[in-house]
Amino acid sequence: MKKNNDIVLFKDGKRYDGRKADELRPIVMKTGVLKRASGSAYVEWGKNKVIAGVYGPRQLHPKFMQNPTKAVVRCVYNMAPFSVDDRKKPGPDRRSVEISKICTEALENVVLTEKFPNAVVDVFIEILQADAGTRCVGLTAASLALADAGIPMRDMVAACAAGKVQGEVVLDLMKEEDNFGESDLPLAVTPRKKEIVLLQMDGKLSREEFTKAFNLAVDGAMQVSEMQKKALLESPVEVEK
Ligand code: CDP
């Protein structure tokens, strides 16, 4: 969280981009966008643009990495060099390794891995344009892509962040709010049971603020979940010729 005392992020009940405290950015979701992936999804969320592709389940090689009781889920989060203001050096860095790990762990909770011993399910999250909250957008897109691939899952994963900006607890921080705000709390839920499969926090919140931000983010994720359902119902049905 950078310091900038000049930027006004919350005034007269309105945020930097005109949203109310509990309002999400506009979100568009689409599935079946990649011809060669087993399943895919594209999500625009505010100024974020993210694509997710799933490959598998298929036999895992090398063999010693196989698990005879269940499939291995591997999720890779990658930011394109042109996705941020300063060109991002291509390839993994500390941040993308961390986000890949937390996304893998969130998805392992929902994929019915026991149905596919010795197999691997690969999930790729590509950030084409970033404007804060990309781990939430990526995870939401990855879950859609898994469903699009027809991979058996106990539940979906829907994610959203909340945080604190100039003293106000707000939903779904955009870049300026993320950069100059006081705190950011991304989380992911499984909508049916409302289990938390990801919870992280940057900055500082009081106990009351934490509870408020947590509940706000869960409500946001539940709205995201409804959009996922709609996107899946609207997804094109392929007829084999
Ligand atoms: O994207 P998310 O909020 O999940 O993760 P973050 O580490 O809190 O990053 C917040 C934002 O900082 C990203 O969404 C990008 O817009 C920006 N960022 C950047 O400009 N350059 C990077 N190398 C990494 C992040």
Side-chain angles (χ1 to χ4, degrees), residues 2-17:
K2 298 176 195 165
K3 282 256 175 278
N4 185 330
N5 298 324
D6 302 332
I7 187 164
V8 178
L9 294 173
F10 200 90
K11 200 177 172 212
D12 304 328
K14 287 257 175 83
R15 292 159 69 178
Y16 191 67
D17 58 358

Side-chain angles (χ1 to χ4, degrees), residues 40-226:
S40 58
Y42 174 67
V43 178
E44 275 188 20
W45 182 325
K47 290 184 198 148
N48 290 305
K49 296 185 180 187
V50 174
I51 202 157
V54 166
Y55 294 84
R58 58 197 164 89
Q59 207 178 39
L60 176 57
H61 292 292
K63 245 186 166 164
F64 73 85
M65 288 176 78
Q66 292 180 355
N67 184 330
T69 63
K70 59 180 190 174
V72 171
V73 177
R74 285 192 300 212
C75 182
V76 178
Y77 166 104
N78 181 54
M79 269 187 149
F82 48 77
S83 65
V84 286
D85 285 338
D86 302 320
R87 173 188 173 274
K88 183 193 165 292
K89 189 169 166 245
D93 53 16
R94 195 206 60 80
R95 178 178 171 277
S96 64
V97 170
E98 173 216 318
I99 300 180
S100 300
K101 180 175 185 288
I102 54 138
C103 288
T104 298
E105 286 168 3
L107 297 172
E108 272 172 347
N109 281 293
V110 291
V111 175
L112 292 174
T113 49
E114 57 276 19
K115 286 201 181 288
F116 306 102
N118 302 319
V120 61
V121 177
D122 277 311
V123 183
F124 297 96
I125 297 171
E126 295 290 329
I127 309 299
L128 307 176
Q129 189 167 288
D131 196 73
T134 57
R135 71 196 64 205
C136 294
V137 185
L139 206 40
T140 300
S143 171
L144 270 176
L146 283 165
D148 183 52
I151 291 175
M153 291 154 83
R154 318 195 145 78
D155 205 343
M156 292 287 283
V157 172
C160 192
K164 184 175 156 191
V165 171
Q166 292 181 344
E168 294 292 326
V169 173
V170 298
L171 182 65
D172 184 25
L173 276 61
M174 62 180 300
K175 185 146 186 297
E176 284 75 4
E177 294 176 321
D178 184 291
N179 281 359
F180 304 118
E182 292 97 275
S183 183
D184 183 24
L185 185 140
L187 59 76
V189 298
T190 57
R192 258 183 340 117
K193 287 203 173 166
K194 281 203 186 177
E195 284 172 344
I196 306 297
V197 288
L198 166 71
L199 179 65
Q200 297 187 295
M201 192 174 122
D202 252 2
K204 222 161 100 177
L205 292 174
S206 70
R207 203 184 269 212
E208 290 73 29
E209 287 164 345
F210 176 85
T211 307
K212 197 172 169 191
F214 177 86
N215 290 332
L216 201 55
V218 171
D219 289 349
M222 293 307 288
Q223 289 180 54
V224 169
S225 156
E226 288 305 313

